[in-house]
Amino acid sequence: MSKDFTTLLQTTTSPLVMGILNVTPDSFSDGGQFDQINSAIEQAELMIQQGADIIDIGGESTRPNAEEVSLEEELSRVIPAIKAIKSKFDVWVSIDTSKAEVMKQAVEAGADIINDVRALTLPGALDVAVQAQVPVCLMHMQGQPKNMQNNPQYDEVVTDVLQYLLERADECTQAGIAKANIIIDPGFGFGKTADNNFKILNQLDAFTASGYPVLAGLSRKTMIGHATGQDVENRVYGSVAGALICAQKGADIIRVHDVQATVDALAVLEHTQRA
Ligand code: 7PJ
């Protein structure tokens, strides 16, 4: 990689764009489409051409009600994809997983970032992340994918979520992860009502004010459908609007399916802010 991650974050005024590459047969929005290695490579290449800075590779679906996948299954999905993409392209790769063994093998295979929707809470994950010395994204989730949307409860959602993330970040730094390697993410849609999600979006600057880089992912999610009335394949415009709001509130990384649409919108914002 030409630049280290902190440098990369500091040198761009516009947020980095993280393109989603699901290698799950059951992902809710592009299910099964990219489960083969060649289509994974093609999809990565397209996203890179469109301006993605990071490719986020995930082999476990974490959509609401998703079944868990076995370690062997997850490894067999993601490791070949990471190796192929890192050998073909000069791009940052993140591994979207909660399993310690997947993190370990993914980093050995060339992954640059660990992206964990469970914020390194599963057994062994924190240790692996300490050893790996790569940036880690700590995401907030209430409950587990199987049941998280049943009845989310918060005293005050922004405060609760931010406090959780800051506590996790403290635990990570105490365990030996460099502060500069920690990214926080409020986890849109993970155990949150539409109202919870839009409160977080409206107050995303509370997260960016923490001093940690902030990753935000709302691409094609239910909250976008809630606002627009569109089903999942027609949420691009709504998702781009959400990405722009995140950018204006200081998000550092935006995780999206629709890279070109997001990159174009962010370019317009950047030109406006520079004028
Ligand atoms: C997120 C994620 C997110 C981070 C997923 C989906 C569900 N990782 N992995 N943040 N969402 N860091 O894309 O709809 O919001 S999977």
Side-chain angles (χ1 to χ4, degrees):
M1 263 329 94
S2 34
K3 280 181 192 149
D4 75 69
F5 187 69
T6 320
T7 313
L8 188 63
L9 272 180
Q10 285 166 352
T11 48
T12 57
T13 48
S14 207
L16 301 179
V17 173
M18 171 184 270
I20 301 168
L21 183 59
N22 285 317
V23 284
T24 54
D26 63 345
S27 281
F28 81 99
S29 55
D30 51 2
Q33 228 178 316
F34 305 119
D35 55 352
Q36 282 174 0
I37 192 75
N38 284 336
S39 40
I41 294 168
E42 262 175 46
Q43 175 68 3
E45 182 168 33
L46 182 65
M47 291 196 290
I48 293 163
Q49 283 166 355
Q50 293 176 338
D53 303 286
I54 304 166
I55 303 294
D56 188 44
I57 299 180
E60 180 210 18
S61 176
T62 45
R63 66 180 173 162
N65 306 315
E67 290 299 324
E68 289 172 16
V69 300
S70 72
L71 172 62
E72 291 68 31
E73 178 68 26
E74 200 178 330
L75 286 169
S76 74
R77 292 175 187 176
V78 299
I79 301 301
I82 294 168
K83 285 185 176 158
I85 288 164
K86 287 302 291 185
S87 72
K88 287 193 160 50
F89 309 111
D90 181 26
V91 69
W92 286 79
V93 164
S94 57
I95 174 67
D96 188 347
T97 190
S98 297
K99 294 190 182 75
E101 186 61 25
V102 177
M103 292 173 187
K104 184 167 172 280
Q105 294 195 30
V107 171
E108 283 165 7
D112 305 278
I113 299 170
I114 294 170
N115 173 27
D116 185 1
V117 299
R118 293 179 184 82
L120 305 177
T121 55
L122 288 195
L126 182 53
D127 288 343
V128 168
V130 171
Q131 293 299 318
Q133 296 193 312
V134 295
V136 295
C137 178
L138 306 173
M139 198 198 79
H140 173 273
M141 164 162 54
Q142 187 179 90
Q144 289 297 318
K146 242 178 201 234
N147 60 19
M148 65 190 178
Q149 290 309 106
N150 291 357
N151 188 20
Q153 298 276 344
Y154 297 92
D155 289 332
E156 206 298 299
V157 67
V158 172
T159 322
D160 291 4
V161 171
L162 181 57
Q163 189 184 331
Y164 170 83
L165 290 171
L166 295 178
E167 282 169 12
R168 288 304 302 149
D170 277 351
E171 208 165 312
C172 289
T173 50
Q174 277 161 30
I177 295 179
K179 209 168 172 188
N181 270 345
I182 293 176
I183 302 158
I184 60 169
D185 179 344
F188 288 111
F190 285 84
K192 292 163 188 93
T193 63
D195 184 59
N196 294 155
N197 286 314
F198 280 103
K199 273 211 175 85
I200 292 171
L201 181 56
N202 192 32
Q203 294 178 53
L204 200 68
D205 40 347
F207 295 81
T208 55
S210 72
Y212 289 106
V214 170
L215 188 155
L218 39 64
S219 183
R220 300 187 191 170
K221 284 185 179 174
T222 304
M223 65 183 287
I224 302 300
H226 181 90
T228 61
Q230 302 286 0
D231 50 20
V232 69
E233 61 270 24
N234 292 306
R235 292 182 188 160
V236 181
Y237 307 135
S239 299
V240 169
L244 269 196
I245 296 167
C246 292
Q248 288 202 287
K249 292 185 185 284
D252 299 274
I253 306 172
I254 317 235
R255 181 180 179 277
V256 302
H257 298 87
D258 304 289
V259 172
Q260 189 71 69
T262 309
V263 164
D264 286 358
L266 291 176
V268 173
L269 177 62
E270 197 194 355
H271 277 68
T272 309
Q273 289 170 335
R274 259 198 282 148

